[in-house]
Amino acid sequence: MGFIDTIKARAKADVKTIVLPETEDKRTLDATEKILKEGIAKVILVGNEDTVKKSAAEGGYDISGAQIVDPATSDKTQGYIDKLVELRQKKGMTPEQAKEILLNQYLYYGVMMVKMGDADGMVSGACHSTADTLRPCLQILKTKPGTKLVSAFFLMVVPDCEFGADGAFVFADCGLNQNPNPEELAAIAASSAESFKMLVGKEPVVAMLSHSTKGSAKHADIDKVVEATKIAKEQNPDLVLDGEFQLDAAIVPSVGASKAPGSPVAGKANVLVFPDLDAGNIGYKLVQRLAKAEAYGPVTQGIAKPVNDLSRGCSADDIVGVVAITAVQCQNN
């Protein structure tokens, strides 16, 4: 059984309700049919019922098992308006503004459904930027208790790979934090380890990546990673974490033994924490394209309830995979 099949099986074992607000996109409707057929999740689609059904019929998609919620006619909408005003009144939110937002911006409506307990999680981003997907989450759901930072990772599954956890890795942060400081990098490492354990089911081994291994080069960028490693170890004494490592020293046993002898992480890492967003984003796309890896994400971590982003280049099957991951996150929330 492949990795995503295992995730789907876990999702089916305790079915959650996921809201998909991007009903203007045919990939959402295609994915909805597949999700319902496989029994991965219950699906709520946000939009005008006639328009959504017509679009599905034109594409030949059977979405008859989905719940379609129209913000303009739902009896829940006024409650969402009132709650949004309550949550954002310090920012000057008025009832008129809240109504305008919820009737016209379906991502906000989907997040309010999650906030009010009418859905367990949300997946969006097929036709919205990461910023547009995450803004309502940060405004309405806020960060998870005990979490200092919202970050994003990719779950990478590399075929025929002897490294990581049989080719499975978490790469972070690849989608959100541009240039994290040492404290933020340490928080990303801790959250990523937790996400790896939850989704892969194996012990995380965390490498803090750099262009240096254990002092082999000198630069302020390396100092940041060294400091982040120190903070992360102090805050998470039970976590198997070390750095700073070049990539080969982190994942290749022979190189790790040569460059960082005695390290519990060198050559064994399955959670790779990149020093900044440039490195993380470039790294995951290289592995996805050149190694033909499956790349699921960007999956968010640190939000109070599970909401996940999609790449705008995603396929319907990618959406299905991220919905399955989100459902498993909901089970553990």
Side-chain angles (χ1 to χ4, degrees):
M1 187 182 280
F3 173 78
I4 201 62
D5 296 318
T6 304
I7 292 289
K8 286 178 180 179
R10 288 170 64 187
K12 291 178 200 175
D14 180 12
V15 176
K16 298 298 179 183
T17 300
I18 308 297
V19 58
L20 302 178
E22 295 176 310
T23 49
E24 71 273 28
D25 194 296
K26 289 283 204 304
R27 289 170 295 174
T28 298
L29 305 177
D30 186 1
T32 296
E33 178 181 10
K34 292 176 177 178
I35 292 160
L36 295 171
K37 194 172 183 181
E38 292 189 56
I40 294 165
K42 295 175 184 174
V43 176
I44 298 175
L45 299 171
V46 182
N48 176 272
E49 187 165 355
D50 291 340
T51 303
V52 173
K53 285 184 174 177
K54 182 183 175 189
S55 184
E58 287 170 354
Y61 307 121
D62 178 8
I63 60 165
S64 55
Q67 180 185 356
I68 302 173
V69 174
D70 185 347
T73 59
S74 172
D75 58 5
K76 297 280 183 82
T77 299
Q78 186 58 50
Y80 295 170
I81 292 169
D82 295 342
K83 187 66 175 178
L84 184 56
V85 171
E86 177 193 322
L87 291 169
R88 302 290 292 165
Q89 60 187 359
K90 288 181 181 174
K91 299 290 184 182
M93 179 73 71
T94 66
E96 292 75 24
Q97 289 171 330
K99 183 176 181 180
E100 173 75 15
I101 289 168
L102 290 173
L103 291 185
N104 295 289
Q105 297 186 44
Y106 290 169
L107 271 66
Y108 271 87
Y109 199 91
V111 171
M112 284 306 303
M113 296 188 89
V114 176
K115 176 70 176 178
M116 302 293 276
D118 295 319
D120 298 304
M122 184 179 93
V123 173
S124 179
C127 44
H128 289 87
S129 69
T130 295
D132 285 341
T133 295
L134 295 183
R135 190 178 300 112
C137 305
L138 298 175
Q139 290 177 354
I140 294 166
L141 298 175
K142 315 286 190 191
T143 54
K144 193 175 175 181
T147 302
K148 296 177 179 140
L149 184 75
V150 174
S151 56
F153 67 89
F154 271 82
L155 189 60
M156 306 296 295
V157 183
V158 186
D160 303 317
C161 178
E162 71 270 33
F163 306 128
D166 299 320
F169 295 88
V170 158
F171 284 19
D173 185 324
C174 300
L176 197 54
N177 294 285
Q178 180 67 50
N179 190 14
N181 63 34
E183 291 78 12
E184 291 168 337
L185 212 50
I188 290 166
S191 291
S192 300
E194 188 181 328
S195 294
F196 181 88
K197 188 166 188 178
M198 177 179 64
L199 292 172
V200 181
K202 295 185 179 179
E203 285 303 311
V205 181
V206 185
M208 309 296 282
L209 297 182
S210 175
H211 68 274
S212 164
T213 298
K214 297 291 186 181
S216 66
K218 303 292 181 192
H219 192 275
D221 289 349
I222 300 166
D223 296 340
K224 178 179 88 166
V225 178
V226 171
E227 179 64 18
T229 303
K230 183 179 170 216
I231 293 167
K233 284 182 174 180
E234 287 171 356
Q235 294 177 344
N236 309 276
D238 297 331
L239 193 57
V240 182
L241 177 148
D242 201 7
E244 87 282 12
F245 290 125
Q246 292 161 300
L247 187 277
D248 56 353
I251 66 170
V252 182
S254 59
V255 178
S258 168
K259 290 187 174 183
S263 169
V265 171
K268 302 172 190 161
N270 49 37
V271 176
L272 305 180
V273 180
F274 292 82
D276 57 41
L277 189 57
D278 287 344
N281 194 270
I282 292 165
Y284 102 76
K285 286 183 176 174
L286 272 172
V287 175
Q288 180 186 25
R289 299 300 177 182
L290 300 187
K292 303 289 192 290
E294 297 168 45
Y296 298 99
V299 182
T300 55
Q301 51 191 6
I303 299 175
K305 293 192 176 181
V307 174
N308 282 317
D309 189 21
L310 296 159
S311 164
R312 277 175 283 180
C314 69
S315 66
D317 286 334
D318 292 333
I319 298 174
V320 175
V322 173
V323 166
I325 289 169
T326 307
V328 171
Q329 285 182 307
C330 291
Q331 292 170 356
N332 289 271
N333 196 56

